[in-house]
Amino acid sequence: MAVDFAVPLITNVKCAKLLIEALVRNYSLDISNIDAKTSHSSYTLPGLINSLAFVPNIAAPGSTDASDVTQASIAAGFSTAQLISGGALDRIVDSQTLATAKSNLSTSSHCNYTLSFTASASNTPALRDDVVQAVKSLFIPFSDVTNLSNAHKVAAVASYFASWPSDKPIITDAKGTDLASILLLASLHNRSVHVVNVSSKDDILLIKLSKEKKLQVTCDVSVYSLFFTAEEYPGSTCLPTAADQAALWSNLEVIDVFAVGQTPYQLAAELGKDTHANAGIEETLPLLLTAVHEGRLSLEGIARRLHDNPAKIFDLPEQPHGQTYVEVVVGRKVHFSVKGGGWSPLAGKTVSGSVHRVVVNNTTVVLDGGWTSIPTGQDISTAVHHHHATRQTEARSPVPENAQPSFFPPAPKSDVQAPSAQLVGRQTPLPIQGPFAPITPHPAFHRKHILSVKQFGPEDLYDLFNLAHEMRLQVERNGTIDLLKGRVLCTLFYESSTRTSSSFEAAMKRCGGEVLQINPDRSSVQKGETLADTIRTVGCYADAIVLRHPAVGSVQSAAKYSPVPVINAGDGIGEHPTQALLDVYTIRSELGTVNGKTITLLGDLKNGRTVHSLVVLLSFYSVRLNFVAPPSLKMPESVVHAAKRAGIPVHQCESLDEVLGETDVLYVTRVQQERFENKQEWEAVKDAYVINHAVMARAKEDMIVMHPLPRVNEIDPEVDFDSRRAVYFRQMRYGLFARIKKIMQKDDEVGKVAQATPVLISKSLELFMATLVDEMSKVTVERGCKRVEVWHLKAAIERTEMLDFLKEIVDPIQDPYPNGADEGAAGVGPDGKKKRGPRKKKEPVD
């Protein structure tokens, strides 16, 4: 019975005794947000970047070196590795060696990775467009050109500066006079350059001077160079002297990146020890965390040099917000032992830091030295970055020595919490720190036309989805909210629609607004009125326009003439952005996450505007895509190329059975008769794919079937009764839940100030409302291991029934009007506790 009714039970006798004793002694039973206490400090860092992972035989056929490096990287806390050819042979120097390297990593990489082209004295002609586009950076090892005279050496390097694309980074290991030459070339060509493995006093001072002179130069230092010296290991040429090492520590502010580099591998080889491709990776964080414990480094400095700076310097895509991170322990003595094979100078020694947990895409892959990683890493060499401008409320603040890095907001001080440690895994939202964030427009939605999914980034999707579940609870509780009284939405559909038009209308009416329907068949369009004039006309009567039109690009044209925001509800075979947002939210809601899923798009992929938009949004996630269609209806090359550029594995085929067994999401589309000029062509492909019980029996038990609807015969009605996997009708319901991302600012003319609250809106109207209201405000709360940024609509919500719902989401929340700034606001009593002032009569929300 307790299980049936979800009644918590205490089954441990000792726990029962503790509970009874607490009740007898009147102890507080408040639940702490701390999951556990330890004698050491635990911190959370973002997923780190192994920016200089040298692979000895990356282009050797059948080599596992690259796979070993990615496996060691993920175990050491690195979720991304930049692989650079490290051996004298088997480097990536042309299209053939590039293909071999890709083949070695295609199904064996444990973390995301990028590839680099290695320059030599004579392979400039190998820089074909296809090779350049397939790699992330150019590596110029001066060891390959040392046999040339200085003049020829400079000429060889200059040829690469002239031919390498300006949007891709150049990396070099130049030292001494060679470094001076390459800095001069970079200045003459107005190019940025990254110098790796800086290990001498002269080089670090030269780079410091170059930065002071505003040259575009960055550098990294091998972690080994910061902790081991040539005096400790006689016969080594790769380690700095003690004096050089002291210079590196003295100029720590000049160093942009901490790297593993080639030094660990080279040191083992010079000393005659066992060499291994993953040399030095495992030791990186223990060495750096020991320095933190000793007060020589800060955690913020580690996060900046192993995550922030590498991502910017090498133009790497942002990782899923709050879904990929590493937990580290500082202050706990650990005897270091090598797990990955090979020799290590740290073996048998004691360190004061270690990796506790590594989480990738919300999945724990490493825990206390044990790892469960599977090879799901992707090649992100061609991925387009999404480093949006930092929002005011997200600005980082300096973190003092031994303080928690700014990946998460600082934890509130508590009597039951260690002052410098905040463990991941809490489930109770924490109190908001400080007053409400400054009111600022949302960069993606504020007074913007919603025309294409390409105008959004991953952070925008995060903002859009993170409160959708709470909004779902609100609509199921209250049904309607009178927030848009006086607002008018115009729906202008040149093509027939049931779901999209109904969704907009229902959402607007649920929020108290009005809908103005324009039927082109009974309007002045029949008299020859142009689209531009129609838009200008209805823009005089409505606050926003929802437009569907059969011509590709028509919505963009309408936006040029509209005095009010325009929302794209479908433009021919072009895009359908609001449907794509709904589809991604459906996958999240049904499967818990989008990351790690294999998604198969089936049917008319040529004319299906929903799948065109969906692929763009899925490119923000770690997914695998299958495109299944007849040859005449295959996915357009532009869409396929966009997915591949984002680093998404794409497989195209004609047979569903070829990919059905691995599919997590089967997205079925209708073969659209209206897109065919010849009826015979349509009849030849209309029954190409039919999803029935026989197909479902061969699929995964937890695979879901989606469809943008309407359907004809591509899904047999018998599948409807598989309610667990057939989600296409729930898919429509999910479209009703989203949230407003703006906030109405103080009205100086009326003098009204309202408080912040989350509200209900539909998937399409959410975007519409983003254009109706003026400003927005953001409140940062912590939920679980994530930082949740809650966008609120300013309204007198504390005088409505939604106050309880607000408290469920961000309770406890600091009152924006302390000391009773208005009659209904919360004051603060002498004891420091909130005291509610007299309430006014409840009024409708304006």
Side-chain angles (χ1 to χ4, degrees):
M1 182 179 295
V3 174
D4 292 340
F5 290 93
V7 176
L9 295 176
I10 299 178
T11 58
N12 186 286
V13 175
K14 291 183 178 180
C15 292
K17 289 180 178 179
L18 290 174
L19 175 61
I20 294 172
E21 183 177 357
L23 293 173
V24 171
R25 298 191 180 188
N26 294 321
Y27 287 158
S28 173
L29 297 180
D30 292 340
I31 299 177
S32 170
N33 59 351
I34 296 177
D35 298 315
K37 288 186 179 181
T38 64
S39 58
H40 51 270
S41 300
S42 177
Y43 302 90
T44 301
L45 300 173
L48 306 179
I49 299 172
N50 186 355
S51 61
L52 199 64
F54 276 91
V55 184
N57 301 294
I58 191 171
S63 172
T64 62
D65 284 353
S67 176
D68 293 342
V69 167
T70 61
Q71 182 175 331
S73 294
I74 202 73
F78 297 101
S79 56
T80 304
Q82 182 163 245
L83 306 181
I84 295 182
S85 311
L89 302 174
D90 299 321
R91 297 178 172 186
I92 299 177
V93 294
D94 51 32
S95 58
Q96 182 177 353
T97 52
L98 174 62
T100 302
K102 284 179 170 289
S103 176
N104 290 340
L105 283 159
S106 60
T107 59
S108 61
S109 176
H110 290 259
C111 68
N112 290 345
Y113 63 92
T114 66
L115 298 174
S116 179
F117 184 89
T118 302
S120 68
S122 59
N123 70 342
T124 307
L127 286 178
R128 302 198 318 245
D129 288 343
D130 58 332
V131 174
V132 172
Q133 293 302 320
V135 298
K136 172 59 71 176
S137 58
L138 170 68
F139 177 52
I140 304 177
F142 262 74
S143 58
D144 276 11
V145 293
T146 53
N147 57 332
L148 301 177
S149 64
N150 286 335
H152 288 88
K153 188 187 304 183
V154 172
V157 175
S159 66
Y160 281 102
F161 273 93
S163 57
W164 190 252
S166 59
D167 60 336
K168 290 180 176 286
I170 295 178
I171 304 170
T172 182
D173 63 356
K175 301 180 185 300
T177 56
D178 290 333
L179 176 59
S181 299
I182 205 166
L183 292 177
L184 175 61
L185 286 172
S187 176
L188 293 175
H189 287 83
N190 194 26
R191 294 291 301 268
S192 61
V193 63
H194 181 76
V195 183
V196 302
N197 195 25
V198 177
S199 58
S200 70
K201 178 180 178 179
D202 291 341
D203 289 349
I204 193 67
L205 292 179
L206 177 59
I207 292 172
K208 181 179 181 179
L209 178 62
S210 300
K211 288 188 173 186
E212 291 173 351
K213 297 298 183 182
K214 307 302 181 183
L215 269 67
Q216 302 177 59
V217 56
T218 55
C219 70
D220 69 50
V221 169
S222 171
V223 174
Y224 266 39
S225 296
L226 292 173
F227 294 94
F228 306 111
T229 64
E231 288 82 352
E232 296 178 77
Y233 297 95
S236 168
T237 61
C238 59
L239 292 176
T241 64
D244 287 333
Q245 187 184 86
L248 296 178
W249 281 101
S250 299
N251 294 277
L252 203 59
E253 74 282 354
V254 180
I255 300 172
D256 301 284
V257 177
F258 290 148
V260 177
Q262 193 176 9
T263 302
Y265 185 91
Q266 187 176 347
L267 177 63
E270 289 177 347
L271 298 180
K273 305 294 185 180
D274 292 337
T275 57
H276 201 277
N278 56 18
I281 298 176
E282 190 177 349
E283 297 95 313
T284 299
L285 275 181
L287 286 171
L288 294 175
L289 295 175
T290 300
V292 171
H293 179 68
E294 296 170 350
R296 304 169 69 188
L297 283 176
S298 68
L299 286 170
E300 176 67 17
I302 293 177
R304 185 169 62 251
R305 294 179 177 92
L306 287 181
H307 176 267
D308 298 354
N309 291 347
K312 294 177 182 178
I313 293 171
F314 302 113
D315 202 29
L316 300 176
E318 292 179 353
Q319 302 176 76
H321 185 81
Q323 300 178 19
T324 298
Y325 55 91
V326 54
E327 290 181 38
V328 297
V329 172
V330 178
R332 182 173 63 183
K333 301 294 183 181
V334 178
H335 288 285
F336 184 85
S337 60
V338 182
K339 299 182 180 65
W343 171 83
S344 170
L346 206 57
K349 297 183 179 180
T350 300
V351 294
S352 299
S354 60
V355 175
H356 169 58
R357 183 198 308 266
V358 179
V359 177
V360 178
N361 295 328
N362 281 336
T363 301
T364 298
V365 295
V366 177
L367 182 61
D368 283 333
W371 60 278
T372 58
S373 173
I374 57 177
T376 58
Q378 299 178 5
D379 182 1
I380 58 172
S381 302
T382 59
V384 179
H385 76 88
H386 302 285
H387 299 293
H388 295 294
T390 303
R391 299 170 187 167
Q392 293 180 14
T393 54
E394 297 176 338
R396 290 193 171 194
S397 58
V399 177
E401 201 76 24
N402 293 331
Q404 179 173 342
S406 56
F407 180 57
F408 293 119
K413 294 182 179 180
S414 169
D415 293 335
V416 297
Q417 180 180 344
S420 63
Q422 180 61 48
L423 298 180
V424 172
R426 52 184 174 266
Q427 298 300 323
T428 305
L430 300 180
I432 305 304
Q433 297 297 300
F436 278 92
I439 296 177
T440 176
H442 190 292
F445 300 102
H446 178 64
R447 294 197 174 278
K448 297 286 186 67
H449 299 292
I450 306 301
L451 308 178
S452 169
V453 292
K454 296 176 182 177
Q455 69 190 78
F456 305 127
E459 285 295 326
D460 303 324
L461 299 190
Y462 178 80
D463 288 338
L464 179 65
F465 295 146
N466 65 20
L467 280 185
H469 178 67
E470 285 86 347
M471 297 305 101
R472 185 167 148 197
L473 297 177
Q474 181 59 26
V475 68
E476 291 172 351
R477 175 180 298 181
N478 291 336
T480 59
I481 302 175
D482 194 16
L483 283 171
L484 299 183
K485 186 176 181 180
R487 299 289 189 178
V488 177
L489 171 68
C490 173
T491 58
L492 180 59
F493 281 70
Y494 285 78
E495 290 184 322
S496 34
S497 168
T498 301
R499 275 147 297 279
T500 303
S501 60
S502 299
S503 174
F504 277 107
E505 293 177 24
M508 188 64 181
K509 292 179 179 179
R510 282 182 180 273
C511 290
E514 299 294 333
V515 179
L516 176 64
Q517 294 184 352
I518 303 295
N519 187 343
D521 292 337
R522 293 180 293 176
S523 70
S524 296
V525 173
Q526 301 302 315
K527 301 177 183 178
E529 185 177 56
T530 64
L531 175 62
D533 288 349
T534 301
I535 292 295
R536 289 190 180 105
T537 300
V538 298
C540 298
Y541 308 133
D543 297 293
I545 301 172
V546 180
L547 174 65
R548 171 173 288 186
H549 197 279
V552 176
S554 56
V555 179
Q556 284 78 3
S557 299
K560 296 179 182 178
Y561 302 102
S562 176
V564 295
V566 174
I567 301 171
N568 184 358
D571 59 337
I573 63 173
E575 287 199 52
H576 196 339
T578 57
Q579 178 68 41
L581 292 168
L582 159 63
D583 293 337
V584 175
Y585 178 63
T586 300
I587 298 173
R588 283 169 46 109
S589 301
E590 290 289 331
L591 300 181
T593 181
V594 182
N595 288 305
K597 304 302 179 184
T598 297
I599 301 172
T600 298
L601 308 183
L602 174 74
D604 187 355
L605 307 185
K606 175 184 178 181
N607 302 308
R609 58 193 171 204
T610 59
V611 293
H612 299 167
S613 297
L614 180 58
V615 169
V616 176
L617 294 186
L618 290 176
S619 297
F620 295 139
Y621 297 89
S622 176
V623 298
R624 295 179 182 271
L625 296 178
N626 297 319
F627 299 152
V628 182
S632 59
L633 299 177
K634 68 178 183 178
M635 186 71 78
E637 285 301 320
S638 59
V639 179
V640 176
H641 180 66
K644 290 182 177 179
R645 283 198 63 200
I648 303 298
V650 174
H651 176 67
Q652 299 187 76
C653 61
E654 297 180 36
S655 172
L656 175 60
D657 288 336
E658 187 175 333
V659 296
L660 182 62
E662 65 182 30
T663 298
D664 298 300
V665 178
L666 180 60
Y667 193 98
V668 186
T669 62
R670 173 175 61 95
V671 178
Q672 305 174 58
Q673 182 178 1
E674 62 271 23
R675 307 297 181 194
F676 287 80
E677 297 180 359
N678 188 315
K679 186 176 181 180
Q680 285 72 27
E681 294 179 359
W682 171 73
E683 289 180 344
V685 295
K686 69 182 181 70
D687 296 323
Y689 308 102
V690 177
I691 307 303
N692 51 31
H693 273 327
V695 174
M696 299 296 287
R698 300 193 300 273
K700 289 183 178 180
E701 292 185 358
D702 57 350
M703 183 194 76
I704 62 173
V705 180
M706 299 174 60
H707 195 301
L709 300 177
R711 66 175 171 182
V712 181
N713 60 346
E714 59 273 8
I715 298 181
D716 194 303
E718 65 184 12
V719 178
D720 299 350
F721 297 98
D722 190 347
S723 58
R724 183 167 56 87
R725 295 192 289 179
V727 304
Y728 32 87
F729 292 119
R730 292 200 298 274
Q731 187 177 347
M732 289 189 295
R733 181 63 175 171
Y734 283 124
L736 192 60
F737 311 115
R739 62 183 178 78
I740 293 180
K741 306 174 71 63
K742 305 292 182 183
I743 185 172
M744 297 179 67
Q745 199 175 22
K746 177 180 177 181
D747 190 335
D748 293 331
E749 297 180 0
V750 182
K752 295 182 179 179
V753 178
Q755 287 186 260
T757 177
V759 294
L760 155 76
I761 204 70
S762 84
K763 61 104 179 177
S764 302
L765 191 58
E766 188 278 327
L767 300 175
F768 156 63
M769 277 300 300
T771 64
L772 295 186
V773 292
D774 296 327
E775 299 285 343
M776 66 181 179
S777 181
K778 190 186 289 184
V779 175
T780 303
V781 300
E782 290 190 4
R783 179 164 295 121
C785 64
K786 301 178 181 179
R787 181 177 64 182
V788 180
E789 311 218 314
V790 185
W791 297 87
H792 296 285
L793 180 70
K794 293 183 71 178
I797 200 62
E798 286 219 330
R799 304 183 180 90
T800 73
E801 300 80 18
M802 288 181 63
L803 178 60
D804 292 337
F805 177 66
L806 171 62
K807 290 183 176 180
E808 290 178 8
I809 301 175
V810 291
D811 186 39
I813 187 169
Q814 180 168 333
D815 198 303
Y817 305 106
N819 306 317
D822 69 7
E823 240 184 331
V828 179
D831 56 355
K833 297 183 178 179
K834 286 186 179 181
K835 292 188 176 181
R836 179 63 56 189
R839 290 183 177 273
K840 288 184 178 181
K841 181 180 178 182
K842 293 182 179 180
E843 302 172 354
V845 177
D846 187 2

